[in-house]
Amino acid sequence: MASSVLFYDRPAARWFEALPIGNGRLGGMVFGGVGTETVRLSESTAWSGAPSDTDVSPTALRELPEIRRLLFAGRAAAAQRLAAEHLPGRMSSFGTNMPLPRLRLEFAGDAARNYRRELDLDTGIVRVDFDQDQNHYVREVFASHPHGVIAMRLTADRPGAVSFTATLDDTVLPGATTTTETGVAFRGRAVESRHSDGEQGTEVEIRARFEVEGGTLRRDGDLIVVTGADAVVVLVAAGTDWAGEDPAGRAETLVAAAAAAGYETLRTAHVEDHRRLMGRVSIDLGDPVALPTDVRRKRLTQGERDDDLIALYFQYGRYLTVAGSRADSPLPLALQGVWNDGLASTSGWTDDFHLDINTQQNYWAAEPANLAECHAPLIRFVRRLAETGRETARQMYGADGWVAHTVANAWGYTAPGNGIGWGLNVTGGAWIALQLWEHYEYQPDEDYLREQAYPVLRDAALFLLSYLVPEPAEGRLVAGPSESPENWYLAPDGTPCSVAMGNTADRVFAEAILRICGRAAAILGVDSELRERVAAARERLSPFRIGRHGQLQEWLGDFEEADPAHRHTAHLCAVFPERQITPRGTPELARAAVVTLERRQQAPGWEQTEWVEANFAAFYARLLDGDQALVHLTRLITDASEANLLSYSAGGIAGAPQNIYSFDGNAGATGAVCEMLLQSDGGEIELLPALPRAWRRGSVRGLRARGGFTVDLMWDDGQLREARIRSAGATRGRIRYRGTVTDVTWEPAEEFTFTG
């Protein structure tokens, strides 16, 4: 039986030891302290900044032709200078997600014995047990999606043994904590001056209500004092005025309704709701190890095998996706999910939506790991970007359709970032729009395609048809000026430059959007003229090229990299998430992709960080090299994840002064494991395509494949023993296992059993 519990034998001393809970909007990091219990609070809509209509440089459109002319003429340095002056966006009111106050409970008493702190991924409940002063204390904490609150219950095995003081404190938000008859409240504003003007931002309201069984509750300044209780239930809710909500009304309504329901009702509804999603997939890669999770991670770091810890990490990525992104979440998973440690929001980058891999990677677990509903907030968010991005496309490029670049915020920002070298990722919108098509691929639904996905994909294609221009040498269509995220090359005169024409990443996403738009239009039987235009444009796209080192070229020219150890490899998106390069279909290009990966890792100072390790694991899985995929999964856990298994961006990389939590490594790892065990392209399902030799036996149940399939796999001695493949509807498809391809026809809800 695979592990499903993270557990520890001591309280958390820091954020990277605390345990995360979330209900898709409200997040908490539970420390489990004995003398002080802390729950660090975050909320997805607690954003500084505001919408703006002055984000696009007013001189960008005027200078665009000259920048292109200079680049085509080989004058990259001059083009770089002109682009730096005229193309970056103006992020004056961009903002960031902001951390909220902490809930702090202070207790008296001697040192604890027999301490245990755990997070059960199956129930979504954090539990703390310990003995103290001849009492056995138990705390349970969870974030309820059905009731919209964080709930905590504190009990002891002897009556009258629960006493503490409580408040909401330690916040960077301007505001005040007050007490009420039933608890404490905080009212403030999410404002800051690093990424905004210090004045714009959401109003924030938090309510913490205390339901006391026995004993007394009284107010003392900004503290609530509980004395001699048998048990206490704490209910926490938050609200903001994002999208016009009443923050105080929301918070008070939620805690009042939760109090009326009662703790047992809250707990039962939470567990049922949580298990409905988490219970769809199980995985077994080896025997569990009965040691605290931080000890297991340390042993893995020292080279000891623990395949079950990798299975636990896989399920943890699913758990965090469920906790951070639900069907009704107002915003998708930001850089830090819904758990804001206050570091990203105060760094040079923000706790926002990065569109040059991080936000995409945040959702790698959604479809293949059977959490399709969790994709809904991102789909709504991209549809909104498509609306705000129309004006950016018109103002900046004189183009049809819509565009978004490197970063986005809660307010619909789509202009370039404010710095050259990273901000001009012109196909960031196209890249994130692929998520809408992926959702359709996994569960085909023509109503969804017609009403939600196709309008976004069509307008992304219209932008590309307006934006692509012929390069003078061969007349091939290329994008630009743009940057290959977030990399620099050496121009022929040795000048480091980032702006270019014909970046491979832009070619990948142009091909993807044009192809998908044409296919979607054909499925829906619409836009025949547009289908002809996208087909003609695809024929004229520049081809992939192999460079002097045998690598897949990142730019139209075979330039040397200014930083050979750079973390970004956006041109390899042709391998994953796209399939424009595959080992069987384009073997020479696949080998060039491998050379690119090898050269990155061999370069001194390779920028190894959390999302890179997950990305490399996915690349190697698509390249059918399970052993190398496992190497990067293991490094992700040992070198880019902490004691609580949360992944982090390493200090010293990308301007980070210290290790900063980033959600993408956790979700990315789960998506990569899915690719190792099951791959699909809508016509063919491949079983165990990149199974590492180390995973000699195992099983997985409930993975999803494109076309509406659910798959269970069991293997022994490295060989498939049995696969069960269920189809949602009547369909036909192919099953591939190693060298064998089998054609299969399914009736609705029929299960096909395939044996190795």
Side-chain angles (χ1 to χ4, degrees):
M1 185 68 178
S3 298
S4 63
V5 174
L6 286 73
F7 82 91
Y8 304 84
D9 58 9
R10 63 184 186 280
R14 55 197 180 93
W15 198 92
F16 269 128
E17 294 175 352
L19 294 172
I21 56 174
N23 63 13
R25 177 170 182 166
L26 178 62
M29 296 295 293
V30 183
F31 281 64
V34 174
T36 302
E37 174 62 282
T38 299
V39 182
R40 287 280 179 184
L41 300 174
S42 307
E43 206 268 3
S44 67
T45 65
W47 264 79
S48 63
S52 172
D53 58 5
T54 60
D55 298 329
V56 173
S57 166
T59 57
L61 181 58
R62 185 191 72 198
E63 300 297 333
L64 197 66
E66 177 63 9
I67 296 170
R68 284 175 172 163
R69 187 191 70 79
L70 290 170
L71 288 168
F72 282 142
R75 298 178 59 191
Q80 183 80 18
R81 288 191 296 270
L82 198 61
E85 182 179 354
H86 295 284
L87 298 188
R90 301 180 173 187
M91 302 171 66
S92 59
S93 62
F94 186 84
T96 180
N97 183 257
M98 298 285 287
L100 301 186
R102 67 176 176 177
L103 173 68
R104 176 173 60 88
L105 280 59
E106 295 283 354
F107 305 86
D110 298 328
R113 306 179 311 280
N114 303 319
Y115 181 93
R116 179 182 171 99
R117 175 172 57 99
E118 69 176 38
L119 167 60
D120 188 336
L121 304 182
D122 179 51
T123 62
I125 294 175
V126 171
R127 181 183 171 98
V128 180
D129 290 78
F130 58 88
D131 296 320
Q132 183 187 59
D133 298 335
Q134 299 181 337
N135 292 299
H136 182 68
Y137 291 95
V138 177
R139 292 181 212 143
E140 286 188 339
V141 195
F142 59 87
S144 165
H145 174 254
H147 288 89
V149 298
I150 288 176
M152 176 191 299
R153 188 166 192 261
L154 305 95
T155 62
D157 61 352
R158 295 173 62 184
V162 180
S163 300
F164 58 85
T165 64
T167 192
L168 293 163
D169 67 359
D170 193 30
T171 179
V172 298
L173 305 187
T177 297
T178 58
T179 57
T180 68
E181 292 297 327
T182 57
V184 291
F186 174 83
R187 175 173 295 177
R189 289 185 65 83
V191 296
E192 47 76 44
S193 57
R194 177 149 195 176
H195 307 293
S196 185
D197 62 2
E199 298 180 359
Q200 299 180 99
T202 57
E203 294 183 6
V204 177
E205 191 90 16
I206 304 172
R207 294 280 194 275
R209 177 164 174 160
F210 297 79
E211 298 288 311
V212 178
E213 300 173 24
T216 62
L217 180 150
R218 62 182 177 86
R219 303 160 69 176
D220 183 5
D222 63 355
L223 298 175
I224 286 292
V225 181
V226 174
T227 305
D230 302 331
V232 180
V233 173
V234 186
L235 304 170
V236 182
T240 75
D241 64 351
W242 188 83
E245 287 187 326
D246 171 16
R250 172 182 167 80
E252 183 57 38
T253 298
L254 287 172
V255 294
Y263 180 78
E264 290 304 323
T265 297
L266 296 179
R267 190 184 192 281
T268 298
H270 160 72
V271 171
E272 289 179 353
D273 173 75
H274 181 79
R275 282 178 169 163
R276 179 178 58 84
L277 296 172
M278 278 299 296
R280 293 173 181 171
V281 174
S282 64
I283 188 170
D284 182 359
L285 298 178
D287 295 329
V289 178
L291 290 171
T293 303
D294 54 340
V295 175
R296 295 177 67 182
R297 180 190 161 277
K298 184 176 181 180
R299 282 160 50 106
L300 189 68
T301 302
Q302 295 168 343
E304 297 191 34
R305 283 272 303 277
D306 191 344
D307 295 329
D308 179 68
L309 184 61
I310 294 173
L312 181 66
Y313 199 87
F314 167 87
Q315 289 286 48
Y316 195 41
R318 296 185 68 247
Y319 166 84
L320 293 169
T321 301
V322 170
S325 184
R326 301 300 291 267
D328 58 357
S329 295
L331 286 169
L333 292 154
L335 189 68
Q336 300 195 306
V338 295
W339 302 277
N340 190 328
D341 62 8
L343 296 179
S345 57
T346 55
S347 70
W349 21 291
T350 69
D351 187 5
D352 60 6
F353 307 100
H354 284 43
L355 305 183
D356 58 356
I357 191 170
N358 310 89
T359 302
Q360 291 87 339
Q361 199 172 72
N362 283 355
Y363 283 88
W364 281 7
E367 300 296 339
N370 213 333
L371 298 172
E373 301 95 321
C374 298
H375 223 153
L378 181 67
I379 291 168
R380 287 194 297 271
F381 182 72
V382 176
R383 293 174 66 195
R384 186 176 179 211
L385 290 183
E387 295 174 2
T388 59
R390 288 191 184 95
E391 188 61 18
T392 301
R394 186 191 66 79
Q395 287 184 19
M396 185 165 180
Y397 302 107
D400 298 330
W402 71 277
V403 66
H405 294 82
T406 309
V407 291
N409 63 11
W411 316 107
Y413 184 95
T414 55
N418 61 1
I420 206 70
W422 64 271
L424 196 62
N425 172 33
V426 178
T427 51
W431 191 346
I432 198 69
L434 298 184
Q435 300 292 139
L436 277 68
W437 177 249
E438 180 171 285
H439 185 69
Y440 170 79
E441 284 188 297
Y442 275 90
Q443 41 188 7
D445 177 345
E446 286 195 18
D447 289 338
Y448 158 79
L449 183 63
R450 179 181 298 104
E451 297 165 11
Q452 299 187 52
Y454 182 65
V456 174
L457 296 166
R458 178 196 61 217
D459 285 1
L462 288 174
F463 170 76
L464 289 164
L465 291 171
S466 297
Y467 180 71
L468 294 167
V469 295
E471 49 84 20
E474 300 177 5
R476 295 282 190 171
L477 291 180
V478 297
S482 63
E483 294 170 324
S484 182
E486 300 175 17
N487 210 356
W488 291 62
Y489 63 94
L490 295 177
D493 64 359
T495 303
C497 295
S498 63
V499 176
M501 298 295 298
N503 298 328
T504 301
D506 293 334
R507 185 259 187 237
V508 171
F509 297 119
E511 157 62 20
I513 287 293
L514 295 174
R515 181 189 75 246
I516 289 166
C517 175
R519 184 173 175 192
I523 291 170
L524 298 173
V526 297
D527 292 338
S528 58
E529 181 182 348
L530 179 60
R531 277 184 261 166
E532 294 177 2
R533 290 179 65 196
V534 299
R538 287 178 64 198
E539 290 293 323
R540 295 183 61 194
L541 291 175
S542 59
F544 294 111
R545 291 175 168 86
I546 298 174
R548 72 190 78 176
H549 304 293
Q551 88 285 8
L552 184 70
Q553 283 184 204
E554 187 164 358
W555 296 277
L556 194 62
D558 188 10
F559 301 126
E560 293 290 353
E561 295 159 323
D563 180 6
H566 201 273
R567 62 198 176 279
H568 277 273
T569 51
H571 54 312
L572 295 189
C573 285
V575 176
F576 181 92
E578 277 289 285
R579 290 179 174 78
Q580 296 173 31
I581 295 176
T582 65
R584 285 189 286 267
T586 57
E588 291 185 3
L589 291 173
R591 176 58 194 160
V594 172
V595 171
T596 298
L597 293 170
E598 292 172 345
R599 283 175 54 80
R600 279 289 203 276
Q601 296 172 78
Q602 293 164 4
W606 176 50
E607 294 181 332
Q608 176 212 25
T609 192
E610 88 299 341
W611 67 262
V612 173
E613 292 289 15
N615 202 17
F616 276 40
F619 286 152
Y620 278 114
R622 282 283 176 88
L623 293 166
L624 308 181
D625 189 340
D627 291 340
Q628 278 301 308
L630 180 57
V631 165
H632 290 282
L633 278 175
T634 304
R635 287 180 183 169
L636 173 56
I637 298 172
T638 60
D639 298 342
S641 298
E642 265 279 8
N644 58 6
L645 298 187
L646 291 182
S647 60
Y648 62 82
S649 182
I653 296 177
Q658 59 189 296
N659 295 348
I660 298 178
Y661 164 59
S662 294
F663 178 87
D664 44 24
N666 290 113
T670 300
V673 171
C674 290
E675 291 293 323
M676 294 164 72
L677 299 178
L678 183 72
Q679 293 181 22
S680 59
D681 61 9
E684 183 174 284
I685 299 172
E686 185 165 5
L687 311 177
L688 304 180
L691 184 70
R693 284 175 292 182
W695 295 355
R696 299 303 299 168
R697 68 157 191 86
S699 64
V700 65
R701 175 186 60 82
L703 294 185
R704 295 280 291 169
R706 288 171 174 81
F709 297 97
T710 305
V711 181
D712 303 340
L713 299 167
M714 291 144 280
W715 66 93
D716 282 316
D717 197 26
Q719 305 286 328
L720 178 69
R721 186 176 82 231
E722 184 177 84
R724 299 171 184 168
I725 306 165
R726 297 176 294 283
S727 172
T731 189
R732 300 179 65 183
R734 296 185 304 276
I735 309 300
R736 177 185 292 272
Y737 176 63
R738 297 189 174 175
T740 301
V741 179
T742 304
D743 291 312
V744 181
T745 300
W746 284 267
E747 296 299 323
E750 183 181 4
E751 179 176 280
F752 173 76
T753 301
F754 181 91
T755 58

